[in-house]
Amino acid sequence: MVSMPAAASDWSVALTFDDLPKMGGGDCAQTEVLSVNQSILDTLDQFGAPAAAFVIPGTPCQGDGAASAASIARLWSSRGHAIGNHTDTHPDYNTLSIDAFLADAEAAHRALVPVLDSASQRERWFRPPLLHMGYNARRRIALDAWMFKRGYRLGVVTIDNQEWVFAAAYERMLKDGDAARAEAVADAYVAHIMESVAYHRALARRLFEREIPHVILLHANRLNADHLADVLDALKAGGAKFVRLETAAADPAYRSPDRYKGPRGLSWLLRWAEAKGVRAAPEPREPEWIAEAARRPPSP
Ligand SMILES: [Zn+2]
């Protein structure tokens, strides 16, 4: 007889995927864009896991027709997932003028409203690229005012992580035809996610003296097309229940003050920690060999 894990270890997490239709820097061919999205959607179905997908309508990493950003957004929406605005071309709010950045966010709004309307999605979600909210009060206030005008809620992230670095390393290994090293990257990826989860759950318990529902940031990429099931298996084994973004964000913890006005793209747990005067340990990083592989130019 196998004993059941203690109920006390149960916790909930909303899965969110950025950079749809596909994270840049890798293969953006039409067939690859379609295949990545189909595979991630099939895995989510298999686990009965709802997700929120943050779309970049103007990204160069898309195809025509069914592989266009709008079609991929409709596909996710038709499979029951929420769609969010991640700006039109993924600019960095730290380097662009306020007006240019908000015009880019507005362009994504125009592109995505028809998708949301046809799916009767009422919730409007916005998440800035790199989680950059504006490095001073003026920038932050301008972004908040634009979100308010357009009825957006912020797509807060509690479990930020280095998944995007693993994804870049993974695509590099595949391109080099090194399947064995690609599998090693995938194994290290799952281990890193679990380490990140443990870090952020512990920080949340310190801040709120209870377990809170979390929001994890992932991306639409080949790594998740091939290995999201491994991540979801590991999360489930650790007591995770998969919930919708609006369910997680309805928790009172998400109304905590965020007074951080700096250049970094921080998890909201670190922003809330700062407002509460709590000093957090450094976040888990990727192993150096992963970072090195992600940086390496393609083999000739
Ligand atoms: Zn992004």
Side-chain angles (χ1 to χ4, degrees):
M1 203 62 210
V2 179
S3 66
M4 296 297 291
S9 71
D10 285 1
W11 63 291
S12 62
V13 61
L15 306 172
T16 67
F17 293 86
D18 281 10
D19 295 11
L20 266 79
K22 186 172 180 262
M23 194 178 101
D27 183 354
C28 296
Q30 176 120 350
T31 48
E32 174 66 2
V33 168
L34 275 173
S35 152
V36 160
N37 283 278
Q38 289 289 2
S39 175
I40 292 174
L41 285 166
D42 289 347
T43 303
L44 293 173
D45 276 358
Q46 185 194 321
F47 283 82
F54 287 83
V55 181
I56 318 168
T59 179
C61 197
Q62 64 180 305
D64 305 318
S68 72
S71 298
I72 296 291
R74 281 182 203 282
L75 178 66
W76 279 67
S77 183
S78 73
R79 308 235 332 218
H81 305 293
I83 300 301
N85 176 339
H86 194 42
T87 72
D88 194 47
T89 63
H90 211 268
D92 180 353
Y93 196 25
N94 284 354
T95 58
L96 212 60
S97 74
I98 293 176
D99 286 352
F101 182 81
L102 295 181
D104 200 273
E106 184 71 25
H109 176 73
R110 283 195 303 272
L112 292 173
V113 157
V115 179
L116 300 184
D117 284 350
S118 65
S120 307
Q121 181 188 319
R122 288 203 349 266
E123 295 279 347
R124 298 282 190 261
W125 296 104
F126 178 78
R127 181 180 285 161
L130 314 168
L131 308 181
H132 289 169
M133 296 290 298
Y135 55 76
N136 60 28
R138 209 170 127 251
R139 282 177 173 259
R140 178 60 193 262
I141 288 165
L143 177 55
D144 284 346
W146 175 82
M147 283 196 297
F148 181 78
K149 184 173 86 178
R150 289 293 180 224
Y152 280 104
R153 296 177 63 185
L154 190 60
V156 162
V157 172
T158 61
I159 305 175
D160 189 19
N161 57 76
Q162 299 296 98
E163 164 256 17
W164 56 280
V165 184
F166 289 83
Y170 185 75
E171 290 217 23
R172 167 66 51 240
M173 302 299 181
L174 291 184
K175 205 172 280 176
D176 291 351
D178 194 342
R181 290 257 289 172
E183 286 314 296
V185 172
D187 290 346
Y189 165 49
V190 177
H192 170 75
I193 289 294
M194 297 316 288
E195 196 189 348
S196 263
V197 161
Y199 169 93
H200 289 100
R201 283 180 68 197
L203 178 55
R205 285 192 299 261
R206 233 178 109 198
L207 295 180
F208 300 104
E209 294 171 349
R210 64 182 173 91
E211 196 75 57
I212 68 163
H214 284 273
V215 178
I216 190 168
L217 171 57
L218 302 170
H219 293 79
N221 53 42
R222 175 46 61 188
L223 177 60
N224 286 321
D226 294 348
H227 294 284
L228 180 62
D230 301 334
V231 171
L232 300 189
D233 268 334
L235 290 172
K236 254 180 88 170
K241 302 265 176 296
F242 304 118
V243 296
R244 304 190 69 85
L245 176 57
E246 61 258 41
T247 306
D251 188 278
Y254 286 74
R255 296 197 292 271
S256 304
D258 162 18
R259 301 198 189 91
Y260 176 72
K261 286 173 195 73
R264 297 182 60 204
L266 297 174
S267 155
W268 268 262
L269 283 171
L270 291 174
R271 299 168 196 254
W272 299 333
E274 191 201 65
K276 284 173 183 262
V278 170
R279 232 164 152 46
E283 298 162 271
R285 305 295 297 191
E286 70 281 4
E288 182 47 38
W289 71 273
I290 299 282
E292 192 275 326
R295 278 194 302 267
R296 193 155 46 81
S299 319

